[in-house]
Amino acid sequence: MEKHCTNSQVKGVSTGTTILAATFDGGVVIGSDSRASMGGEYVSSKTINKVIQVHDQIFCCMAGSLADAQAVTKAAKFHLSFHSVQMESPPLVISAASVLKELCYKNKDELQAGFITAGWDRKKGPQVYVVALGGMLMSQPVTIGGSGSTYIYGYVDAKYKPNMSRDECLQFATNALALAMGRDNVSGGVAHLVVITETGVEHVVVPGNKLPKFHDE
Amino acid sequence: MALSNVLETPAAGFNFDNAARNAALEGLFDGGQTPKPLKTGTTIAGVVFKDGVVLGADTRATSSEVVADKMCAKIHYIAPNIYCCGAGTAADTEKTTDLLSSNLTIFSLNSGRNPRVVMAVNILQDMLYRYHGQIGANLILGGVDCTGNHLYTVGPYGSVNKVPYLSMGSGDLAALGILEDGFKHDLELEKAKELVCAAIHAGIMSDLGSGNNIDIYPTRSQSTKTTGRPARRRF
């Protein structure tokens, strides 16, 4: 196993990823790539799932160390489930984001995990929150994260419009992921997307060969 | 949960108390390097097929350049329907799988239910994550339960992935090449055993740390008879 490890900052398997979420008129799209790497040069999985369901209509995307992110989302799932039983109603998206934030902030010295939380609740409708590495929590209409996000800031800033339709937003997210996967070596595989609306949840998986191609591909 | 664990259940949430201790320990050794534990130097593989899961492993255990054990058993019993291959530090994989097996037996007796593969995976993930990579166990967990045939990989830091085929250990890249080429969904038992055997064989040929014999163990659903003990093939 040592030969796979180089001077990467993340110990063990890293998600080394591109994750994003965007609100549209009536819902939210959250998505990620599916590559897990070790040491920045070995792909340890082509089909890792980084979009995790933490409650019926709340999903979160993980970035950073896979072990840390999986442990945090497991703890978050439990907390949210318990919270929703106590409150006798589905949790708010901000509650889910706060649970993740508490775990990340309180253990910031030892954890290396960041999250994007997106979902729909009855109080505020579709929302997107980002929990950064040190535990900062922010609400944004569209957000990108992971190592591949650096390559698509321009695209997102130029192409995102508030109140798009569902199909426009899905196409926007697919394009953004495809562009990031094309330039970032630790992002790749398939594009996992989840569309969350008031009526429910829909998974869309775009295999690598069906991703949109751009001018130099 | 009172049903499942022999040891006391750890408190909810994270406990990083040992992180400071580990940092202090590293400072005590010259050059800051703790002594390296013995490794198995292994090729292990698993494949999900139509009626279950086939696990395979080589049988060489190395201590640096010396072969310490030529007939080391790397496929560990977890439950009648769940087996686990271990790569990494031999002592760690032995003890971790033993602990898991005991916990699942207690759970079975208490609850009257057969353990599920996903439960074994969760217990392993919790344990390995708590130790933050200090337990050098790279495990392939495969089994059949009422929800189907499952194959999981658990890394030393506690990351988990569910896959249809997999190889781990120092010979993993060679074995993975064979698996990538030959894997299809819903293989028959004989074809699946041949595929795993070929994968381990490739690992043995291409990796100095793997060798000697190949152990193959198919775990099948209750409707078909199991072979009993891992079939040891010499070559």
Side-chain angles (χ1 to χ4, degrees):
Chain A
M1 285 285 120
E2 285 102 39
K3 67 174 180 289
H4 298 317
C5 300
T6 56
N7 291 325
S8 164
Q9 299 195 322
V10 175
K11 284 214 187 120
V13 181
S14 156
T15 54
T17 189
T18 308
I19 51 178
L20 52 74
T23 48
F24 62 89
D25 183 21
V28 60
V29 170
I30 182 168
S32 79
D33 70 309
S34 69
R35 181 173 288 184
S37 52
M38 267 169 77
E41 60 185 30
Y42 174 64
V43 175
S44 60
S45 176
K46 299 174 279 190
T47 54
I48 201 96
N49 179 25
K50 301 183 211 183
V51 186
I52 307 287
Q53 181 164 28
V54 290
H55 207 263
D56 295 346
Q57 284 177 299
I58 308 177
F59 280 71
C60 75
C61 265
M62 47 166 102
S65 153
L66 186 60
D68 287 347
Q70 284 182 338
V72 171
T73 44
K74 265 179 120 179
K77 256 187 182 170
F78 162 73
H79 278 300
L80 269 181
S81 169
F82 188 68
H83 169 71
S84 101
V85 166
Q86 276 190 322
M87 302 286 276
E88 293 188 12
S89 89
L92 299 178
V93 186
I94 185 150
S95 310
S98 288
V99 164
L100 290 168
K101 178 261 290 176
E102 277 301 298
L103 290 167
C104 289
Y105 182 72
K106 293 257 161 75
N107 298 293
K108 64 156 72 178
D109 291 335
E110 285 92 9
L111 284 176
Q112 267 189 310
F115 300 91
I116 291 180
T117 312
W120 187 94
D121 64 44
R122 262 191 3 174
K123 189 167 167 194
K124 281 171 139 188
Q127 299 142 75
V128 169
Y129 293 90
V130 58
V131 177
L133 226 54
M136 171 191 75
L137 172 62
M138 260 192 350
S139 169
Q140 292 180 309
V142 62
T143 190
I144 51 180
S147 54
S149 66
T150 49
Y151 304 102
I152 49 172
Y153 273 103
Y155 178 78
V156 168
D157 286 343
K159 288 294 185 179
Y160 177 75
K161 295 184 295 298
N163 294 325
M164 287 189 274
S165 73
R166 175 198 173 278
D167 291 334
E168 277 175 339
C169 194
L170 205 50
Q171 189 60 53
F172 161 78
T174 315
N175 286 347
L177 282 174
L179 284 166
M181 290 199 265
R183 286 291 180 183
D184 183 27
N185 66 329
V186 286
S187 301
V190 308
H192 283 296
L193 294 150
V194 176
V195 183
I196 310 167
T197 56
E198 179 178 0
T199 46
V201 160
E202 187 200 336
H203 292 262
V204 177
V205 174
V206 186
N209 57 349
K210 301 268 190 343
L211 283 171
K213 289 200 187 319
F214 298 93
H215 72 96
D216 56 352
E217 294 174 75
Chain B
M1 302 294 127
L3 274 183
S4 50
N5 284 319
V6 179
L7 309 170
E8 56 195 65
T9 318
F14 296 126
N15 182 346
F16 287 107
D17 290 345
N18 285 337
R21 179 208 71 172
N22 292 344
L25 272 178
E26 271 179 38
L28 288 177
F29 289 95
D30 289 335
Q33 278 297 335
T34 46
K36 285 218 167 326
L38 298 178
K39 314 207 126 274
T40 53
T42 292
T43 308
I44 49 177
V47 160
V48 175
F49 72 101
K50 198 168 75 166
D51 299 320
V53 176
V54 177
L55 295 174
D58 73 306
T59 61
R60 175 179 289 183
T62 51
S63 172
S64 299
E65 276 66 53
V66 178
V67 175
D69 189 355
K70 288 184 273 190
M71 291 284 264
C72 162
K74 302 184 192 181
I75 305 186
H76 308 283
Y77 168 88
I78 304 289
N81 56 327
I82 307 175
Y83 278 76
C84 180
C85 298
T89 309
D92 289 344
T93 56
E94 278 287 337
K95 273 302 168 201
T96 308
T97 46
D98 252 356
L99 212 53
L100 175 65
S101 175
S102 311
N103 278 334
L104 283 181
T105 312
I106 302 257
F107 163 79
S108 264
L109 291 168
N110 278 336
S111 65
R113 296 172 85 161
N114 281 331
R116 297 191 186 181
V117 185
V118 71
M119 178 177 187
V121 170
N122 279 324
I123 295 177
L124 272 179
Q125 178 174 43
D126 285 343
M127 191 193 311
L128 290 175
Y129 185 72
R130 225 178 320 138
Y131 285 92
H132 240 46
Q134 303 292 332
I135 296 187
N138 292 289
L139 304 166
I140 294 184
L141 201 83
V144 179
D145 58 32
C146 58
T147 55
N149 317 324
H150 306 287
L151 185 67
Y152 287 90
T153 164
V154 186
Y157 288 88
S159 53
V160 163
N161 194 12
K162 183 175 197 304
V163 279
Y165 61 89
L166 178 63
S167 72
M168 292 195 103
S170 50
D172 62 348
L173 291 178
L176 202 55
I178 303 288
L179 290 175
E180 293 270 15
D181 189 43
F183 177 80
K184 289 190 211 356
H185 283 290
D186 293 333
L187 282 169
E188 293 295 333
L189 172 62
E190 285 312 314
K191 279 270 178 297
K193 289 204 310 204
E194 267 169 37
L195 180 64
V196 173
C197 194
I200 304 293
H201 187 93
I204 288 175
M205 287 293 136
S206 311
D207 176 43
L208 298 178
S210 309
N212 297 99
N213 299 320
I214 302 176
D215 280 344
I216 301 281
Y217 195 73
T219 314
R220 279 173 290 186
S221 46
Q222 274 75 17
S223 52
T224 49
K225 284 216 184 81
T226 52
T227 52
R229 300 172 58 154
R232 194 149 267 176
R233 228 179 285 220
R234 303 172 120 262
F235 76 96

